[in-house]
Amino acid sequence: MLAPALASLGDAYAADAQRNLQQLRHTVWTSRDGAPPEVWALAQSDDGYLWLGTGGGLYRFDGASFEKFRPAKGESLPSLNVNSLLATRSGDLWIGFASGALARLRAGHLTTFDLGLPPVPVLELSEDTAGGIWAALGENDRGGVARFRRGGWEIFGRSRGVAPGAATSVLGAADGSVWIAAGGELEVLRPGANRFSRIAASASDRPKLKQSPDGAIWLTTGARPGLQRIAASPAQATPTWVVPPMTANPRAESILFDRRGSLWGTYGSGGVFRLRGVGLGGGALVAGREMFGVERGLTSNLANPILEDREGNVWVGTNLGLDQFRETSAVVATGLPTDSRNGFRIAPGPAGSMYVTSNDALFRASPEYVARKLVRLPRRPLILHTDALSRTWIGTDRTLGILSGISVQDVPLPWARSRPFALIEETPGRICVSSVEGAFCREGRGWTSEPRLATPGILPMQMLRDAVGRVWIAEGSRIEMVDGNARRIFSARNDLALGTVVVIAVRGRHVYAGGDFGLARFDGQRFVTLRSDVHPVLSRTAGIVETSQGDLWLNTVAGVVKIESADLDDAFAHTRRPVKARVFDRDDGMPGVAQQDSWSQTAMEASDGRLWFVTRLGIAWIDPKRLSFNSLPPPVIIKSLVSGGRIYATATPIQLPKGSSNLQIEYTAPSLSVPSRVRFRYQLEGVDDGWVDPGTRREAFYTGLKPGSYKFRLIAANDDGVWNRRGATLEFEIPPTFFQSWPFYFLCAALALALLWLGYSLRLRAVAERIRAGMNERLDERDRIARELHDTLLQSVQGLIMRFSNIAQDITAIQPAHREMLDALDGAEAVVVDGRDRIHELRRWSGARSLSDVVTRTAERLLLPDKIEIRVGVEGMQREIYPAIADELLRITDEALFNVSRHAHAHKVSITVAYGAEALVLRIIDDGIGIAPEIVARGGVAGHFGLVGMRERAEKIGGQLAITTAPAGGTQVEMKIAAEIAYADRPRRRWLTWWRRLAVKRNGA
């Protein structure tokens, strides 16, 4: 059963054979970064947190910040000196203290257990396959083993086969057995057994136990320098001894087998060691012994706990901080200078190696071994090229040479003075050089002029030949193409908008150029440019490699950029669309950003397919077939909600104090590989329109929130963009204050309506007063005219009549004249009567008793009572009406009744005067032939102004006139005037009327 697993692990180890400790990405956290000192224990819980047990308390780390654990209210840690930690499969975190106490952290709550023993430190904790928790207790010669099962702790002593003395290590093995190192003995409790049995092995000097991937049990010891490998099966085999790297103090404090089968260990005074491949079977075979201490950057040589997290990172705790070892896509070539005043140059070497020049030396670097220095160079190297004949050419500012063994053979240049120049392999084995003095080629031992490649007066920076024989020459901000005897220049006018051309590269028929402002590719006719203002990762492209799969790798100031073939074609087809790319920077193992050099390529492909990149701080390589990728989505945790200076736990829905409006939500996503790249998105439902992208920020702020129920949603992605879409949610509620409650809003609405009603009433009263004032002026004017007519005209006419009457008596003898005079007097008398009638009409309302009486007299005057039945009714309590309003109503009534008598052919007319609280209504209904709707719609008959006059009079007094067909036939004329306008007596307020009625009822009761 183990064979397939061991085979796969063996393959993984073989693939990792080149990675030594120095090639892993090493990151440290010390007190300057918030890390606690004196780290004695490490564990990773299900939620992704890395827990640190220290001499000063319990801490947790999410990759971004350290946080000291503080128990919930009413709970406390029994001690601050934590010796051991265990994260169980069920999600609990067990804590062992130097005081001998034990505690369990479950769902944020702490439970403390007392074993009832004298204080003995809990040195180690382990979980067996049945879920039992085992504790190794030991100090000097005191201690033992305890097991937690079914809610209680059980002590194992001599009666259960445990040797007396300190127990320093306990291990729950994969087969269900439990191994302990106690009292200098190694013992095992087999599945189904009731007591421990002894195993023949050396277990002195505080040994530690670990099980390797192949099932073997490994034991550390200080009695004999080395590690013991013991078969896990009952058929006991002789222990195999494996010797790790030696230190002054050879006793290992802790050991760990990583997922690739390598054995890691820590020394109390020697740092970290690793034995590669020993856990995959055949433990005596050690592929490599390595050490890593303070001289290489370890926080301290006093190291103790060691842990591999779920993402494959190895963590080491020391007395001065925390260290992480992580495999990255980019690997720094070891053995090379970390900087070079004049930069580095690279060229492919044999068997996947790479030639590298620094300030004054030539090296050969390889992924499998430390770079070796081959030869010292007398001058500053500018050109490094390996030709098709495997010759390595080295050019300086004055010379050209060929590498021969461990020396460089000078090749005289074809010009006398020192000149910068460019070099090209024009055909296999044919080397050409070009400067401002011309171009020359060499086959064999001599130089011959080659005018076709010359650029008179212009210094070429780089020269390349493509698959069809065209030569491409970089000349500052332009590129010149030489195709046979034809030449063509490409510049910004031809879409080569790169600024300074830093690098050119070819692969088959593809020609690329990189520069200050992006990347360009030749499409057969012109260069198509991807500008860095649209694609920022392409800024200052200094190295270009196209792989056999068509993927493009670039060395830029943003880091190493990989663009897959399909994405590359899409980018050049849509230059304004952001390109899809993956960037490798310092977090991926790159020592720096691209070296800015216009004389040579800073990216090259080795013969084994690895890609090498030049930076100002060293050389690194990437294997495109083996890129690190973190496929684990990060756990998403909402830590707390802060409002009004108070911190709320997020375990249950939160109810904030009334009136809360501002709050802060703290969250995290423990992804420990590259925490600086963890990205978040959040949304507060009902507030945010969509997902908010805060980048790497781990806090959300909200202000001006209204009362209500809210749900906060959070998702996160790890360093490689793998999202945890399920995320986490937090629900909270903000209760309303009285001034935010519905009763208050209702009162405000009622007050607003009351104010609107008051405003409307005041406005209506003002309009009514204005109308009344106008009507009263008219009424006064009519009274004045009536008086003038009576006092002047009628009195004068009456006087004339009397004089003419006296004259008529004197001329009785003249019969014809007398007769005419009497007729004239009768006519004058009729004029006087008619004038008095008109004066009466002008002043008829002044003496009227009520509107109904006047309407009745008007109806009797205008209609024929003997032919038309007249009914006048009154609804409501009669009230005094403004004379001017009543006069206009009578005018409208006159016109309506006149139309009835003339056109309706009616037999019955009903007139109703309704004194309403809101309005005065005058309604006239006849049973005649009715009026055509189109006449009403037009406002009357052309040439007739009766209906028009009625409407004008209604509008003049602010009334509403409606002329419709009566339900039983005939015509209905209805005039409605608001009470504020119509009534002369002041209306009583409704609320006052209601109050008085209520008072009357109470008094009556």
Side-chain angles (χ1 to χ4, degrees):
M1 293 176 62
L2 288 175
L6 292 177
S8 63
L9 286 172
D11 293 340
Y13 168 69
D16 190 36
Q18 74 280 6
R19 302 290 179 93
N20 54 53
L21 280 178
Q22 199 168 353
Q23 290 176 329
L24 298 180
R25 175 74 169 170
H26 175 229
T27 310
V28 301
W29 290 265
T30 65
S31 58
R32 290 174 295 183
D33 308 299
E38 303 291 342
V39 181
W40 303 122
L42 294 171
Q44 186 179 27
S45 52
D46 282 349
D47 56 12
Y49 275 112
L50 182 69
W51 292 85
L52 290 74
T54 76
L58 180 65
Y59 290 79
R60 65 180 185 181
F61 181 51
D62 63 358
S65 61
F66 294 88
E67 180 183 0
K68 189 171 184 177
F69 171 74
R70 288 176 171 78
K73 187 177 181 180
E75 302 171 357
S76 62
L77 291 171
S79 170
L80 290 180
N81 195 357
V82 179
N83 266 8
S84 55
L85 294 172
L86 172 67
T88 68
R89 296 186 296 271
S90 64
D92 295 340
L93 179 70
W94 284 89
I95 310 162
F97 298 90
S99 63
L102 285 152
R104 181 185 63 196
L105 183 62
R106 173 180 291 177
H109 292 281
L110 195 69
T111 304
T112 303
F113 299 91
D114 185 0
L115 300 181
L117 297 175
V120 180
V122 181
L123 298 182
E124 193 169 54
L125 294 165
S126 184
E127 182 180 16
D128 62 28
T129 56
I133 308 301
W134 292 81
L137 315 172
E139 183 180 38
N140 299 328
D141 293 330
R142 298 182 301 118
V145 179
R147 179 178 65 182
F148 183 81
R149 190 173 62 173
R150 299 189 182 95
W153 284 94
E154 176 185 7
I155 306 298
F156 281 67
R158 293 185 181 182
S159 61
R160 305 291 290 272
V162 177
T168 59
S169 186
V170 60
L171 170 68
D175 63 355
S177 60
V178 177
W179 297 70
I180 61 172
E185 303 288 345
L186 177 63
E187 298 174 322
V188 60
L189 179 67
R190 301 290 182 184
N194 192 38
R195 58 182 288 117
F196 283 88
S197 56
R198 185 177 179 276
I199 301 295
S202 174
S204 61
D205 200 8
R206 299 179 60 187
K208 293 291 184 180
L209 296 167
K210 223 65 169 182
Q211 187 171 28
S212 60
D214 63 359
I217 305 299
W218 287 71
L219 178 69
T220 70
T221 178
R224 174 182 172 184
L227 307 170
Q228 298 174 76
R229 180 182 182 275
I230 302 166
S233 64
Q236 179 61 41
T238 303
T240 302
W241 286 85
V242 177
V243 181
M246 289 293 96
T247 66
N249 181 6
R251 180 172 57 83
E253 295 291 339
S254 296
I255 56 175
L256 163 76
F257 285 95
D258 65 19
R259 60 189 62 188
R260 298 182 182 275
S262 294
L263 172 64
W264 295 69
T266 57
Y267 287 127
S269 60
V272 177
F273 69 86
R274 185 176 71 165
L275 307 178
R276 286 186 282 173
V278 298
L280 302 179
L285 300 177
V286 181
R289 296 177 175 88
E290 304 172 87
M291 291 190 64
F292 197 99
V294 291
E295 70 282 356
R296 292 185 176 179
L298 197 70
T299 52
S300 171
N301 277 341
L302 181 53
N304 194 327
I306 188 165
L307 169 79
E308 183 182 31
D309 66 24
R310 64 185 65 184
E311 297 170 79
N313 309 302
V314 174
W315 298 84
V316 176
T318 75
N319 68 319
L320 293 180
L322 185 66
D323 295 71
Q324 180 200 60
F325 294 89
R326 176 169 58 89
E327 182 178 316
T328 56
S329 296
V331 180
V332 177
T334 57
L336 295 172
T338 57
D339 60 13
S340 175
R341 182 178 65 258
N342 299 312
F344 299 95
R345 307 289 183 272
I346 58 174
S353 64
M354 191 68 63
Y355 289 116
V356 180
T357 63
S358 64
N359 289 329
D360 56 1
L362 174 68
F363 296 83
R364 182 181 174 187
S366 172
E368 283 77 23
Y369 52 77
V370 177
R372 296 194 298 267
K373 185 176 181 179
L374 300 180
V375 63
R376 181 178 177 83
L377 301 176
R379 293 183 180 88
R380 177 168 66 102
L382 295 177
I383 295 173
L384 186 63
H385 176 75
T386 301
D387 65 15
L389 304 179
S390 298
R391 296 176 299 180
T392 301
W393 297 78
I394 305 170
T396 71
D397 57 351
R398 297 183 181 180
T399 64
L400 180 65
I402 301 176
L403 178 65
S404 177
I406 58 173
S407 64
V408 177
Q409 295 180 355
D410 286 338
V411 177
L413 289 169
W415 42 77
R417 293 182 296 176
S418 298
R419 295 287 188 185
F421 62 92
L423 182 146
I424 181 175
E425 187 174 4
E426 202 268 337
T427 58
R430 186 170 189 254
I431 299 299
C432 302
V433 293
S434 178
S435 73
V436 293
E437 294 192 7
F440 301 85
C441 293
R442 179 186 181 93
E443 281 183 308
R445 292 183 176 276
W447 295 98
T448 59
S449 177
E450 183 55 78
R452 187 173 63 92
L453 301 180
T455 56
I458 299 175
L459 175 64
M461 308 299 292
Q462 294 179 44
M463 303 175 70
L464 288 175
R465 180 181 181 274
D466 65 18
V468 295
R470 297 174 298 191
V471 175
W472 300 83
I473 307 172
E475 303 170 352
S477 61
R478 68 180 196 171
I479 294 176
E480 188 170 357
M481 179 187 72
V482 179
D483 188 2
N485 294 322
R487 306 177 80 91
R488 183 179 175 187
I489 294 177
F490 299 91
S491 62
R493 296 180 180 180
N494 307 98
D495 299 318
L496 189 67
L498 295 176
T500 300
V501 178
V502 179
V503 63
I504 53 177
V506 298
R507 178 85 183 202
R509 302 178 67 91
H510 283 167
V511 180
Y512 297 94
D516 290 337
F517 304 120
L519 172 73
R521 184 172 74 174
F522 188 62
D523 66 358
Q525 297 296 326
R526 63 187 182 92
F527 277 96
V528 179
T529 302
L530 302 179
R531 294 274 300 178
S532 58
D533 52 357
V534 180
H535 316 279
V537 295
L538 303 182
S539 180
R540 192 67 181 180
T541 300
I544 304 173
V545 175
E546 182 184 309
T547 66
S548 58
Q549 290 77 27
D551 299 336
L552 197 67
W553 291 77
L554 310 172
N555 198 12
T556 76
V557 293
V560 172
V561 179
K562 178 193 176 187
I563 307 176
E564 295 186 357
S565 177
D567 297 323
L568 184 67
D569 292 338
D570 182 72
F572 280 111
H574 307 90
T575 58
R576 303 303 298 177
R577 183 185 301 172
V579 63
K580 183 179 180 182
R582 182 178 177 185
V583 179
F584 301 84
D585 55 20
R586 291 184 64 86
D587 288 329
D588 298 286
M590 291 298 299
V593 298
Q595 173 180 290
Q596 301 304 308
D597 185 357
S598 299
W599 288 96
S600 64
Q601 265 274 25
T602 63
M604 282 192 182
E605 185 176 16
S607 59
D608 61 359
R610 290 186 176 91
L611 305 177
W612 292 70
F613 300 93
V614 179
T615 77
R616 274 293 182 186
L617 300 178
I619 311 296
W621 55 264
I622 294 176
D623 186 351
K625 300 184 294 295
R626 187 181 160 210
L627 299 177
S628 296
F629 186 81
N630 186 357
S631 60
L632 292 177
V636 181
I637 300 171
I638 300 176
K639 297 169 61 177
S640 63
L641 184 151
V642 182
S643 178
R646 180 180 173 186
I647 300 176
Y648 297 85
T650 59
T652 57
I654 299 170
Q655 186 175 58
L656 298 176
K658 294 180 179 180
S660 299
S661 61
N662 303 333
L663 56 86
Q664 170 186 343
I665 298 175
E666 297 180 354
Y667 52 82
T668 189
S671 181
L672 303 179
S673 292
V674 190
S676 61
R677 287 187 185 170
V678 175
R679 300 188 64 84
F680 298 90
R681 290 177 184 170
Y682 62 75
Q683 180 184 30
L684 185 59
E685 295 181 358
V687 176
D688 298 322
D689 294 332
W691 289 101
V692 177
D693 188 352
T696 59
R697 194 182 74 236
R698 302 186 180 223
E699 294 175 320
F701 301 90
Y702 289 95
T703 59
L705 295 180
K706 299 179 180 179
S709 297
Y710 294 91
K711 178 182 284 189
F712 179 79
R713 300 175 59 197
L714 176 70
I715 58 176
N718 68 8
D719 53 299
D720 284 317
V722 179
W723 285 90
N724 181 340
R725 299 287 180 181
R726 183 177 181 182
T729 59
L730 171 65
E731 296 181 6
F732 61 92
E733 180 183 358
I734 302 178
T737 63
F738 172 74
F739 296 105
Q740 296 172 323
S741 62
W742 284 111
F744 178 74
Y745 293 150
F746 176 78
L747 291 175
C748 290
L751 179 60
L753 291 175
L755 292 174
L756 289 175
W757 177 83
L758 178 60
Y760 171 76
S761 299
L762 293 175
R763 173 64 178 167
L764 185 60
R765 180 172 297 180
V767 172
E769 291 294 339
R770 187 167 61 251
I771 293 175
R772 292 194 199 104
M775 299 304 295
N776 287 334
E777 290 179 1
R778 292 182 57 206
L779 191 60
D780 292 342
E781 183 64 16
R782 292 173 62 182
D783 289 343
R784 185 189 65 80
I785 293 172
R787 288 193 300 272
E788 291 295 330
L789 289 175
H790 180 272
D791 296 341
T792 57
L793 179 61
L794 292 184
Q795 293 293 345
S796 299
V797 172
Q798 186 69 35
L800 289 175
I801 291 174
M802 291 179 65
R803 291 182 62 186
F804 274 103
S805 179
N806 292 331
I807 295 172
Q809 291 179 3
D810 293 339
I811 61 172
T812 54
I814 306 172
Q815 290 300 325
H818 182 262
R819 182 72 267 167
E820 292 179 3
M821 180 68 71
L822 291 179
D823 291 340
L825 290 173
D826 289 341
E829 186 67 28
V831 170
V832 172
V833 172
D834 185 62
R836 285 176 178 170
D837 289 341
R838 292 299 178 183
I839 292 173
H840 177 73
E841 288 295 327
L842 288 173
R843 307 188 65 166
R844 62 176 172 167
W845 177 254
S846 301
R849 296 179 57 190
S850 67
L851 178 61
S852 59
D853 293 342
V854 179
V855 168
T856 299
R857 289 200 298 271
T858 301
E860 291 174 349
R861 178 171 57 84
L862 295 176
L863 301 177
L864 300 175
D866 56 339
K867 294 183 178 181
I868 298 177
E869 181 182 349
I870 301 171
R871 292 182 181 179
V872 178
V874 177
E875 296 179 359
M877 183 181 298
Q878 293 192 31
R879 299 176 61 177
E880 183 181 353
I881 301 174
Y882 276 98
I885 302 299
D887 188 68
E888 293 296 334
L889 287 175
L890 291 178
R891 298 289 181 182
I892 294 172
T893 302
D894 286 351
E895 184 63 33
L897 294 179
F898 177 78
N899 289 333
V900 171
S901 65
R902 189 171 183 180
H903 305 291
H905 304 292
H907 299 287
K908 183 187 299 183
V909 175
S910 174
I911 303 174
T912 304
V913 180
Y915 296 89
E918 300 291 337
L920 171 68
V921 179
L922 174 64
R923 190 179 302 109
I924 302 173
I925 303 174
D926 67 68
D927 62 353
I929 62 175
I931 185 171
E934 57 270 16
I935 295 177
V936 176
R938 289 197 305 266
V941 180
H944 295 264
F945 302 99
L947 295 181
V948 175
M950 294 170 66
R951 294 189 185 279
E952 289 177 349
R953 290 181 182 277
E955 292 176 359
K956 188 184 300 182
I957 60 176
Q960 299 174 1
L961 177 67
I963 302 175
T964 59
T965 301
T971 303
Q972 174 177 301
V973 178
E974 183 178 273
M975 179 66 187
K976 181 185 292 184
I977 305 174
E980 292 284 343
I981 299 175
Y983 299 141
D985 56 337
R986 185 179 298 275
R988 182 176 297 170
R989 301 297 181 191
R990 291 186 177 181
W991 64 271
L992 186 58
T993 302
W994 175 82
W995 180 260
R996 289 185 177 180
R997 289 178 181 175
L998 182 61
V1000 170
K1001 289 181 179 180
R1002 287 180 177 176
N1003 292 335

